[in-house]
Amino acid sequence: MKNLRPVGVIGAGKYVPERILDNAELEKMVDTNDEWIVSRTGIRERHIAAPEQATSDLAYEASIQALAAAGIKAEELDLIIVATITPDTSFPSTACILQDKLGAKKAAAFDLSAACSGFVYSLAAATGFIQNGMYNNALVIGADTLSRITDYTDRNTCVLFGDGAGAVVLGEVPQGRGFQSFDLGAEGAGGDQLKLPAGGSRLPTSPETLDAKQHFIYMNGRDVFKFAVRVMGTATEEVLRKAEMTKDDIDLFIPHQANIRIIQSAMQRLDLSEDRVMINVDKYANTSAASIPLALVEAYEQGRIKEGDRVVMVGFGGGLTWGGAALIW
């Protein structure tokens, strides 16, 4: 990537719905308690979309902020990618719905489905389009409304998920800045460990799938945890190797915000102190594709990312997939 057109983040924004579902409220819904949730996941609350809100609505709010920060008008956009597993509809894509809402009439638009790794996958795709000169800029959004596919009678999963969106505008940046490397991967053999069983062509919606609650997230927590701990470390090491960096070069590490124990395991493996890691899982829970951009934008807003800082983002999720990115801000 060293001799290609340098591409980086030139604007960013985030949005979470107003309603907060805290652990105390969950205690009234299922057999759980705040101490158990916090000790095992680090989550204290999560944001839940209003009944009239869909994923494109969350993405729109984050996108407006990102465009304003980048100083780019929607009609100047060349490309829109929405990373999501909770699209408004199977088709048209949420990206096309968003394109219309924004008035980005000349932008190509598509959705990318890689679950919690989706934002990093989308960054890699958009960077490639800009590096090769096909486009000059791109709007990349990670947005999910997981509350719509969460079973709030299942205490093993309902405590874990929330709704939100994060957006970035990518464009050409000065030499020596921008994305230095990506590492993307998949382990499709583990796909059954984390999935939405029904609603596709394999198991179309029917009275039977509805009765069996097959339109909610299914997760084998133990196996997904083992996978996550393993790939968080290996993906980070690989993306650093490709960028010709070491773990000592990391100014800020932004992991997928799924579980505090997974994050702590990665910190230990990489020998990172807490001041070099962005953690906000306590406020938002696991927002899937929105997780990393929410953390990225919040870190920037807090002054934890400055010009020239080396930022590493790593995610993992359904597929099973993983993705890492190294960026000089």
Side-chain angles (χ1 to χ4, degrees):
M1 294 177 68
K2 299 297 182 185
N3 299 319
L4 296 170
R5 189 182 188 189
V7 178
V9 176
I10 60 174
K14 74 180 198 305
Y15 175 78
V16 289
E18 288 184 18
R19 189 194 166 203
I20 294 174
L21 174 63
D22 62 18
N23 291 347
E25 189 174 347
L26 276 175
E27 288 178 4
K28 301 171 185 175
M29 299 164 62
V30 290
D31 182 16
T32 190
N33 62 73
D34 177 71
E35 190 278 330
W36 188 92
I37 298 170
V38 173
S39 64
R40 284 164 176 77
T41 70
I43 299 166
R44 297 184 182 276
E45 58 189 33
R46 65 289 293 148
H47 290 251
I48 305 296
E52 68 276 10
Q53 286 181 310
T55 297
S56 67
D57 299 312
L58 311 188
Y60 174 83
E61 298 296 339
S63 298
I64 290 294
Q65 290 182 27
L67 289 168
I72 287 180
K73 296 177 181 178
E75 51 266 34
E76 298 176 275
L77 282 173
D78 295 325
L79 174 67
I80 298 171
I81 304 176
V82 176
T84 187
I85 54 169
T86 53
D88 288 25
T89 56
S90 294
F91 67 91
S93 70
T94 301
C96 282
I97 295 170
L98 178 63
Q99 184 228 38
D100 180 51
K101 289 184 177 184
L102 290 171
K105 294 185 178 180
K106 78 166 188 172
F110 65 88
D111 288 357
L112 190 151
S113 178
C116 308
S117 310
F119 181 72
V120 178
Y121 266 65
S122 298
L123 289 176
T127 296
F129 280 119
I130 300 171
Q131 280 179 336
N132 68 24
M134 185 171 178
Y135 296 127
N136 289 316
N137 60 59
L139 174 64
V140 177
I141 307 103
D144 269 305
T145 317
L146 295 181
S147 61
R148 301 291 158 78
I149 57 170
T150 296
D151 180 0
Y152 286 97
T153 66
D154 177 8
R155 68 173 185 170
N156 293 315
T157 57
C158 73
V159 304
L160 300 174
F161 303 112
D163 303 335
V168 295
V169 178
L170 302 189
E172 188 168 357
V173 294
Q175 285 291 338
R177 299 291 171 85
F179 290 102
Q180 304 298 298
S181 67
F182 291 99
D183 181 60
L184 308 177
E187 201 169 281
D192 281 344
Q193 305 308 315
L194 178 56
K195 63 183 181 180
L196 190 70
S201 60
R202 178 69 63 191
L203 278 177
T205 304
S206 67
E208 290 75 24
T209 62
L210 291 169
D211 289 344
K213 294 188 173 183
Q214 290 180 300
H215 298 269
F216 293 123
I217 298 168
Y218 165 79
M219 182 172 70
N220 179 336
R222 182 171 295 181
D223 283 1
V224 172
F225 185 92
K226 291 177 182 176
F227 166 78
V229 167
R230 172 167 55 87
V231 301
M232 283 283 277
T234 56
T236 303
E237 290 165 355
E238 183 61 14
V239 84
L240 286 171
R241 183 191 67 78
K242 290 179 178 178
E244 299 178 2
M245 296 180 187
T246 71
K247 60 187 180 182
D248 295 329
D249 292 323
I250 299 174
D251 293 304
L252 189 65
F253 180 63
I254 303 178
H256 169 44
Q257 307 289 312
N259 182 304
I260 192 64
R261 291 183 172 182
I262 296 170
I263 295 172
Q264 289 169 341
S265 174
M267 289 169 60
Q268 187 173 5
R269 176 168 175 168
L270 299 166
D271 193 26
L272 294 173
S273 55
E274 198 165 305
D275 63 313
R276 295 168 66 198
V277 182
M278 181 62 192
I279 302 172
N280 62 5
V281 66
D282 54 312
K283 296 194 296 183
Y284 304 122
N286 182 348
T287 54
S288 189
S291 165
I292 289 177
L294 277 174
L296 174 69
V297 178
E298 191 159 281
Y300 181 72
E301 290 174 345
Q302 293 174 359
R304 296 186 64 184
I305 302 176
K306 303 177 296 297
E307 195 171 323
D309 278 356
R310 292 171 171 81
V311 179
V312 173
M313 299 172 272
V314 179
F316 61 89
L320 298 167
T321 58
W322 67 86
L327 167 71
I328 298 179
W329 194 262

